[in-house]
Amino acid sequence: GCAASIDGELADAWLAWSDSVLGQANGTLTWARYHLAAAEGDRARTVASEALALASAPNQPLVRLAAHRLLGEIETVLGNFIDAERHLTAALDLAGTCEAPFERALTLLAIAELHTAQGNTSEVAALLDDVCHLCTANTRPGRRSRGSSVRNAAR
């Protein structure tokens, strides 16, 4: 916790010093993830919304995608399923526009988590099959275990 906070503060200080517009959205998104991990859902939502705004000017579609996905994950945790679906749909659309299959897989995984949280487990298996298909050529440690966790929770 403390080391992550110090690293984030150093990155923020460097961005402020450099007057760099690019990078601010990523840094803010990192803070939103930090707040979500610290179980500060409302603060995470506020900071992720700031990241989304920063990623819109100048247009940074991959960062916007990540911000929408994180907002969807935050809203899922907070039980705001309509807002979660709206953000995850926007993220999925951006993944298609950007032709980013791994980002699509991560977003489908978040959608599967949303369905699981809603108790709508009938669609989870198909979503996870899509995730596994997309990740087959691009496997990274941890992604399959997250998918397995969602699949087990949906049973």
Side-chain angles (χ1 to χ4, degrees), residues 1-89:
C2 184
S5 177
I6 292 169
D7 288 346
E9 289 169 7
L10 289 173
D12 288 348
W14 181 86
L15 284 169
W17 170 82
S18 71
D19 283 334
S20 176
V21 174
L22 295 175
Q24 289 180 3
N26 277 327
T28 304
L29 200 56
T30 300
W31 279 114
R33 286 187 189 100
Y34 174 84
H35 290 296
L36 181 60
E40 300 168 353
D42 290 333
R43 181 72 181 134
R45 177 197 298 131
T46 299
V47 174
S49 295
E50 291 170 11
L52 182 58
L54 288 168
S56 298
N59 185 22
Q60 301 163 69
L62 289 172
V63 182
R64 283 188 14 245
L65 185 163
H68 275 298
R69 183 173 55 238
L70 182 58
L71 281 162
E73 292 170 352
I74 292 166
E75 297 297 356
T76 296
V77 168
L78 296 176
N80 301 320
F81 300 139
I82 293 171
D83 289 337
E85 186 173 356
R86 180 175 53 86
H87 283 294
L88 293 172
T89 299

Side-chain angles (χ1 to χ4, degrees), residues 61-62 65 69 90-105 107:
L62 289 172
L65 185 163
R69 183 173 55 238
L92 198 59
D93 290 346
L94 282 165
T97 300
C98 295
E99 297 181 8
F102 192 70
E103 296 297 332
R104 178 177 174 77
T107 303

